[in-house]
Amino acid sequence: MSLMQRYGRSKSVVKRSKKYLEEALYLKLFKDGGSQLSVRQNLNSFIKSGKRVYKWEVGDTLKKLRNRKHYQPALKLSETMAKRNMNKTVSDHAIHLDLLAKAQGIAAAENYFVNLPESVKNHLCYGALLNCYCKELMTEKAEALMEKMKELNLPLSSMSYNSLMTLYTKVGQPEKIPSIIQEMKASNIMLDSYSYNVWMRGLAAVNDVYGVERVHDEMKRDGRVTGDWTTYSNLASIFVNAGLIDKAELALKELEKRNAFKDLSAYQFLITLYGRTGNIYEVYRVWRSLRLAFPKTANISYLNMIQVLVKLKDLPGAEKCFREWESGSPTYDIRIANALIGAYAKLDMMEKAEELKESARRKGAKPNAKTWEIFLDYHLRKGEFKLAVDCLVKAISIGRGDGEKWVPSMEIIGIMLKHFEQEKDVDGAEEFLEILKKSGDSLGTEVFESLIRTYAAAGRTSSAMQRRLKMENVDVSEDVHKLLNAISVE
């Protein structure tokens, strides 16, 4: 499939003057595949060229960049076009605000909003800022902004209410959702499919499965909203969580009927959810359907299938699926190897785990932080703390694929600190703290309290501990403070 077919275009680019790019902007940005690095490089090349582009191209390109979560390049493109005096519509301002929040943080988005002319601050910009607050789980600011929008008599749509209901779900306040629904109905704001879905999830969160079924019936009676496959995926997940397997499978059958356009995500939800019902026959049946619909099966589909088979304890099936992927994939995806490595580690089949890790390395897929986390968990389980520390160092040094730091969980940190306490190993604990500093900005109270207990258990003293606590702004408990006084020397 050509790039033109793949990304589509809505206007002719044949009759361009020499002042303009020879091809559509999004084709230029994605011509080397679409990785973060290649998109940034191609964008820089476009900017340096000084070439012009049509306004519709910018909008279309921003949409594609946002869909792929390339927020930094999208923001840079939006800013460049503004500098070139390309007029921003109100919708463009809302998109720019959203990009700022995703690329630079909520404070940058707020500053942009404050500095916008009042004539531009319509329901779209307010809605974009509201959505940003909801995504960042900033409940008070989201609620205050929603009230402001009502005071200004801005036209409210289901989108704003949906954002607020999603926020309440995520912050553990699903009991607030029914009142939001009632407000929407009272204001004659039509509930869309997403509204019904988040309403059902809210009821499920408070274990009201009967209420979920009642809402689904209401949705069907409404007549204006047709439940798509996501509705039935949502229902199936709720029923599985409630242990209602028969109802879950009925919802999954309906999901399949609704997937007329053969959506890849729908297939993957089917496989995952049938896996959660324990129905391995249906898992394989849907997998065959997916493979027929997508002969060039994506890595993410293989990853999902292997993870489901591992959870179903079908290791031979997972290995067969892995071999099939490995023989046909042009690029080696370490995530898929990790799924099998993790299964081997849990079954204490470490020879196979090591062999697969090295095989992946030979084929160009270096172990990532997740790979080392799998080995780290195994060594901790076996009490092999020196090897565990080695794995932790490697995971931290690699970091996450998106450029962020890899930070060990508090459970892992707690297990290792407890070990140093029990062994009265002050030097080991201090070395461990130096390692942890590389993964985060602050070590926290629990870490220092454990260190103090380790010093006390070993009968060691410190002339710097009090000063270190002040520098880290750490206040220890009363019991630990007594130990601190005992180990501190001038």
Side-chain angles (χ1 to χ4, degrees), residues 221-239:
R221 287 195 308 272
D222 187 320
R224 297 173 298 173
V225 179
T226 303
D228 57 10
W229 69 262
T230 61
T231 300
Y232 291 94
S233 169
N234 189 35
L235 270 175
S237 179
I238 289 168
F239 288 141

Side-chain angles (χ1 to χ4, degrees), residues 98 154 322 350 368 432 466:
D98 180 70
L154 295 175
F322 180 82
M350 290 310 291
N368 63 5
F432 183 60
Q466 300 265 17

Side-chain angles (χ1 to χ4, degrees), residues 459-478:
R460 292 270 295 270
T461 58
S462 169
S463 60
M465 190 65 72
Q466 300 265 17
R467 188 166 61 254
R468 289 169 70 181
L469 295 181
K470 287 182 181 179
M471 290 176 64
E472 294 284 343
N473 196 26
V474 168
D475 290 321
V476 297
S477 67
E478 187 176 336

Side-chain angles (χ1 to χ4, degrees), residues 76-88 96 112:
K76 187 171 185 178
L77 173 60
S78 181
E79 290 174 338
T80 300
M81 293 300 100
K83 289 176 183 175
R84 293 186 181 183
N85 298 318
M86 185 173 280
N87 291 331
K88 272 184 160 60
H96 191 84
Y112 182 78

Side-chain angles (χ1 to χ4, degrees), residues 2 18 39 78 90 208 311 406 454:
S2 70
K18 292 182 179 180
V39 168
S78 181
V90 175
D208 186 2
K311 287 178 181 176
W406 178 85
T454 305

Side-chain angles (χ1 to χ4, degrees), residues 127-180:
L129 185 58
L130 174 68
N131 188 54
C132 293
Y133 285 149
C134 290
K135 284 185 180 299
E136 294 297 320
L137 309 183
M138 302 172 75
T139 307
E140 290 184 9
K141 285 195 171 186
E143 291 174 336
L145 189 63
M146 188 68 159
E147 290 304 313
K148 180 70 173 177
M149 292 168 73
K150 293 174 189 175
E151 288 174 16
L152 294 172
N153 291 318
L154 295 175
L156 296 175
S157 67
S158 60
M159 189 177 296
S160 295
Y161 285 101
N162 290 345
S163 293
L164 202 55
M165 289 190 290
T166 302
L167 165 65
Y168 289 141
T169 301
K170 289 181 178 178
V171 298
Q173 298 177 346
E175 67 279 358
K176 291 186 176 182
I177 291 176
S179 63
I180 297 290

